[in-house]
Every structure is written in C-alpha cells, then in structure tokens.
C-alpha cells in the first residue's frame, strides 16, 4: 500500500529556506505513470498547488512561486524534496506531498506537515 | 491560468438530503483532467471523482460527478454525517494546475 510521509522542520525563520522531504513507500518513485507533487494549505484557507516533478527530473512550478521554489527527486532513497527560499509569514501553511497520475488527479496524499514561518 | 470558481461558498444541508456543488472554469477544460476532492477537518484531501465523472473505488455511489467544458458539478445524495466537509475541484489540463477555493457543506 502506498504511503507518503512529509518530514522537515516545523519552524523556519523569515528570509530562510524551507526544506521538506517526502518519503515514498509502497511504490517506486521511478514509476512512469506518476508525477510527485507538493500542495500547501495556509491556515483556514484552500489548497494551493506548488509544483510537481517526474522521476526524470522534469519539473513544473506555480508561477507565483517559481523564482523561489525547487523540487528535486532522489531515486536512490525513493524520496522527493521541496525547497522554498526567502520565506515570509505568508508561507506558513500545511504542506502536503502527493502522487499524481500523469495528466490527472492526486490520488494519494501524505498526512501533511505544518510549517510556521516566525522569528 | 485557469481559475476555478466554486459555488456556493457554504452549503447548509440537512442529513438525508442532497447537496449540489458547482465548479466553473475560466476556460474550457478537457474532462479527463478534472477531479473532485473531499477534505474533512484535520485530514488530507481525499480523491472522490476523477475524469469529471469516474468514482474512485470505495467511494459510495451517493457521490456523482458530471459536466464538461467550463461547468462541472458534484452531487452528494442522502447526506450522512461523514459527508460534512469541504470539497475542492481541481484541473490539471493546463499548467499551472489549479484548485477551486472550496465549498463547505455544513449541517442544516
């Protein structure tokens, strides 16, 4: 059974870089049928798509975040990661990693990790 | 960017009644790239409907999706306690992918 688990610091200082990792179990991250994505949800707000990656390293990012975001994949560890630079309080959110069918829906999600940006 | 506008923002429905949720897109979407999710408090979103009208295995047939082009609908019949949640639509037809702002279904 597929499981996705986010990990990383729950508190990041303003202007620093947020770094999260999603560990995938129950499926290979080199699956040709799936993308691996990050979605976030600010407190009491809706879902915001951040971006996704294919196992080959091909990425797609949300335009408002593109200048600050990097998504990478480590096939040897079956993990993919999110880095978001120069964070502000507006980046405080619940961060989800998820598996997406190529050209389709997010069928599997991690439980989410709350990241607070504060000094 | 394709903007998805969900209506209403909040829907008050009595148990056992039917809820009808709308999602309108700012431009036409290929139905194969449209989905609905349910999010209960404190939980991750859960995929309900994919390709606009296909129900995920294990999702009750009380949930149904329909629509095409710019207008999509999620219907939930005979509402049960677990159905009171926030529902989001999602498109992956054009980058950037986008979600609707959500419709909260609350107990009337």
């Amino acid at each position: 059974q597929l499981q996705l688990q986010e990990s990383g610091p729950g508190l990041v200082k303003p202007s620093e870089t947020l770094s999260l990792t999603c560990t995938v179990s129950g499926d290979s991250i080199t699956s040709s049928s799936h993308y691996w994505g990050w979605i976030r949800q600010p407190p009491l707000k809706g879902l915001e798509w951040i971006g996704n990656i294919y196992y080959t390293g091909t990425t797609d990012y949300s335009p408002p975040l593109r200048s600050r975001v990097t998504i990478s994949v480590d096939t040897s560890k079956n993990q993919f990661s999110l880095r978001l630079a120069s964070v502000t309080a507006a980046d405080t959110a619940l961060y989800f990693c998820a598996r997406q069918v190529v050209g389709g829906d997010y069928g599997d999600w991690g439980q989410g990790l709350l990241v607070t940006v504060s000094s | 960017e394709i903007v998805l506008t969900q209506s209403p923002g909040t829907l008050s429905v009595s148990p056992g009644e039917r809820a009808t949720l709308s999602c309108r897109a700012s431009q036409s979407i290929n139905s194969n790239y449209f989905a609905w999710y349910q999010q209960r408090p404190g939980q991750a979103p859960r995929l309900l409907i994919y390709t606009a009208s296909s129900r995920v295995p294990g999702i009750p047939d009380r949930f149904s999706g329909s629509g095409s082009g710019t207008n999509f609908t999620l219907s939930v019949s005979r509402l049960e306690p677990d159905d009171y949640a926030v529902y989001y639509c999602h498109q992956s037809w054009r980058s950037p992918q986008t979600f609707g702002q959500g419709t909260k279904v609350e107990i009337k």
Side-chain angles (χ1 to χ4, degrees), chain A residues 41 52 60 100 103-106, chain B residues 33 37 39 47 92 95 97:
Chain A
Q41 185 171 36
N52 63 15
D60 189 15
Q100 181 178 27
D105 50 84
Y106 286 99
Chain B
Y33 299 84
Y37 302 82
Q39 188 178 31
L47 178 67
S92 56
S95 181
Q97 300 186 37

Side-chain angles (χ1 to χ4, degrees), chain B residues 47-62:
Chain B
L47 178 67
L48 299 175
I49 302 289
Y50 62 100
T51 63
S53 60
S54 300
R55 197 180 310 111
V56 171
I59 298 300
D61 60 7
R62 300 182 295 101

Side-chain angles (χ1 to χ4, degrees), chain A residues 13-15 20 45 54 63 80 86 90 96 105-107 113-114 117:
Chain A
K13 291 183 168 56
S15 79
L20 300 179
K45 293 188 177 181
Y54 194 57
F80 62 106
S86 305
F96 296 100
D105 50 84
Y106 286 99
L113 180 66
L114 178 63
V117 178

Side-chain angles (χ1 to χ4, degrees), chain B:
Chain B
E1 171 177 319
I2 297 178
V3 177
L4 299 178
T5 303
Q6 293 187 239
S7 61
T10 301
L11 188 58
S12 299
V13 185
S14 301
E17 298 296 309
R18 182 183 195 87
T20 301
L21 290 67
S22 172
C23 180
R24 291 193 174 184
S26 59
Q27 57 187 276
S28 186
I29 296 171
N30 182 319
S31 299
N32 289 327
Y33 299 84
F34 185 87
W36 289 98
Y37 302 82
Q38 176 194 66
Q39 188 178 31
R40 295 172 178 146
Q43 295 186 16
R46 177 175 71 147
L47 178 67
L48 299 175
I49 302 289
Y50 62 100
T51 63
S53 60
S54 300
R55 197 180 310 111
V56 171
I59 298 300
D61 60 7
R62 300 182 295 101
F63 290 85
S64 64
S66 63
S68 63
T70 59
N71 290 289
F72 298 87
T73 300
L74 175 69
S75 296
V76 187
S77 63
R78 305 185 303 280
L79 272 160
E80 297 185 1
D82 278 350
D83 300 336
Y84 292 95
V86 180
Y87 293 83
Y88 294 95
C89 55
H90 166 236
Q91 69 81 23
S92 56
W93 172 234
R94 295 292 185 218
S95 181
Q97 300 186 37
T98 48
F99 290 90
Q101 82 279 19
T103 290
K104 180 180 181 180
V105 178
E106 64 176 23
I107 299 176
K108 184 175 182 180

